[in-house]
Amino acid sequence: MMKTSLTRKSFLAAGIAALVASGASALHAAAKTIKVGFAQTGAESAWRTANSESMKSEAAKRGIDLKFSDAQGKQENQIRAVRSFITQGVDVIVIAPIVETGWDPVLREAKRAKIPVILTDRTIQTADESLFTCFIGSDFYEEGRMAADWLAKHANGKGNIVELQGTPGSAPANERRKAFGDAIKKYPGLKIIDSQSGNFERSRGKEVMEAFLKKHPKTINVVYAHNDDMALGAAQAIEEAGLKPGKDITIVSIDAIGEAIKAVAAGRINCTVECSPLFGPKVYDTVARILAGQKVEKKMFNKDELFDITNAAKALPTRKY
Ligand code: AHR
């Protein structure tokens, strides 16, 4: 019995050492395949699709057995997926938490089962940070600040803003809203006159923008969208109302998906702050380090940039999402 478990352990160690050393396909040679459970939020945006694809393709490249679950926008589905990963005895659980609160009970279950948890993309609110091993993603507060500063600089400190918020209760919606609000306080001429959730979805963003245009005729100067899908939906609503997005109404957004950068280069959206979804490689490097017993940083943030008319066209040919 003892002998078997020692043998399995040394096979796993060999696999991890190979993964750490090469970061790639050497794992196929190891006896034990690493199992990772990924509880994804859903497929609400082009950003999310690129994120899922990065996680799946990188797992395939490294020979990792990825158990992928799409929660279809529901926290209860994500929690159910995490419980099933625990039952299946995966080596590491990765969660992109749809909302910030309500995670402690299931994270405690993972901790009791001694399965490390990596939070990716979105953070959570918890009084006990030992419930997760680390976080990998973008700094949403910084993204909101960058969008507001760009606007303040290009709008001469004046404008009536409508805000399209992301999923209620999610970290990106909460932090992008707070950061933008904090930053525009310095400019009394910039005012948020209306704000509503478009749930990070293009169709919802368009519907909410149509309602804003009806409710505030000839009043709106700026759209602040928490993501590009909603910004693109809003641009369409503006066009259908007989106005020119990017000219009659300034649009500032976040994500920097290829389609939005194209719209920036064409002057249809005015600026988009990057939020890279391509963190498959970083997540699996971290999985390998955790399983090899190495200490990892508690919070790892991606470095994101901003695109406007000055650099969008140049960025297009090499854009990966
Ligand atoms: O959590 C990241 C956000 O979620 C992205 O900005 C958005 O497009 C996605 O749906």
Side-chain angles (χ1 to χ4, degrees):
M1 192 69 189
M2 181 72 144
K3 202 171 167 216
T4 318
S5 98
L6 271 178
T7 314
R8 283 186 63 228
K9 244 186 171 175
S10 48
F11 275 136
L12 180 59
I16 293 158
L19 182 63
V20 171
S22 67
S25 58
L27 246 198
H28 285 299
K32 184 182 184 292
T33 302
I34 291 173
K35 275 193 247 163
V36 174
F38 178 35
Q40 177 62 290
T41 61
E44 70 281 2
S45 62
W47 185 101
R48 186 66 54 196
T49 306
N51 178 243
S52 295
E53 172 50 28
S54 170
M55 291 292 289
K56 286 178 186 172
S57 61
E58 196 61 28
K61 225 201 253 169
R62 296 179 187 223
I64 288 172
D65 177 7
L66 178 68
K67 318 235 170 265
F68 180 89
S69 164
D70 174 340
Q72 301 182 335
K74 293 201 173 81
Q75 184 183 32
E76 60 266 32
N77 290 346
Q78 276 194 304
I79 290 175
R80 205 172 303 125
V82 172
R83 289 208 169 108
S84 137
F85 298 151
I86 296 172
T87 311
Q88 292 174 65
V90 299
D91 297 300
V92 176
I93 294 172
V94 181
I95 313 173
I98 183 152
V99 289
E100 288 195 279
T101 55
W103 292 100
D104 284 20
V106 76
L107 291 182
R108 259 185 240 118
E109 290 167 37
K111 193 176 177 182
R112 269 198 300 274
K114 298 194 174 16
I115 302 177
V117 172
I118 299 177
L119 303 179
T120 57
D121 166 29
R122 301 180 179 182
T123 46
I124 59 165
Q125 286 172 22
T126 176
D128 181 2
E129 295 227 325
S130 78
L131 292 177
F132 65 96
T133 304
C134 62
F135 164 79
I136 301 170
S138 287
D139 183 341
F140 297 136
Y141 189 90
E142 178 60 7
E143 292 167 352
R145 186 202 61 75
M146 282 164 81
D149 283 356
W150 184 94
L151 179 67
K153 198 165 152 200
H154 292 82
N156 296 322
K158 273 197 296 224
N160 292 324
I161 306 163
V162 291
E163 180 182 36
L164 292 167
Q165 296 179 41
T167 303
S170 69
N174 290 346
E175 290 176 37
R176 289 170 185 170
R177 177 165 166 70
K178 168 121 183 51
F180 192 88
D182 287 348
I184 65 166
K185 273 187 202 138
K186 287 178 273 171
Y187 308 95
L190 285 175
K191 282 191 202 80
I192 297 181
I193 58 164
D194 217 331
S195 178
Q196 211 180 299
S197 173
N199 207 32
F200 286 130
E201 293 165 19
R202 194 172 301 204
S203 56
R204 218 30 225 135
K206 179 170 183 267
E207 282 164 19
V208 174
M209 189 65 207
E210 283 164 357
F212 282 159
L213 286 162
K214 281 200 189 105
K215 191 170 159 196
H216 311 281
K218 299 195 176 121
T219 312
I220 302 166
N221 310 112
V222 179
V223 173
Y224 168 45
H226 288 190
N227 84 343
D228 285 342
D229 275 85
M230 293 190 296
L232 288 159
Q236 206 183 325
I238 293 167
E239 275 157 1
E240 286 173 14
L243 297 165
K244 280 201 164 54
K247 292 191 178 62
D248 297 323
I249 298 183
T250 299
I251 304 182
V252 293
S253 175
I254 296 174
D255 274 359
I257 58 170
E259 197 182 341
I261 297 200
K262 222 184 209 168
V264 172
R268 198 166 165 253
I269 288 181
N270 302 82
C271 112
T272 179
V273 178
E274 189 178 41
C275 174
S276 175
L278 307 177
F279 34 72
K282 201 161 170 181
V283 167
Y284 299 123
D285 284 348
T286 308
V287 165
R289 288 170 59 207
I290 293 169
L291 293 178
Q294 295 175 11
K295 200 165 165 39
V296 298
E297 304 86 308
K298 191 76 185 179
K299 291 186 181 160
M300 294 172 249
F301 291 103
N302 302 330
K303 181 123 191 57
D304 295 319
E305 48 178 319
L306 180 149
F307 296 95
D308 64 8
I309 195 71
T310 63
N311 59 355
K314 207 167 155 222
L316 266 175
T318 53
R319 206 69 201 147
K320 292 204 178 68
Y321 69 97

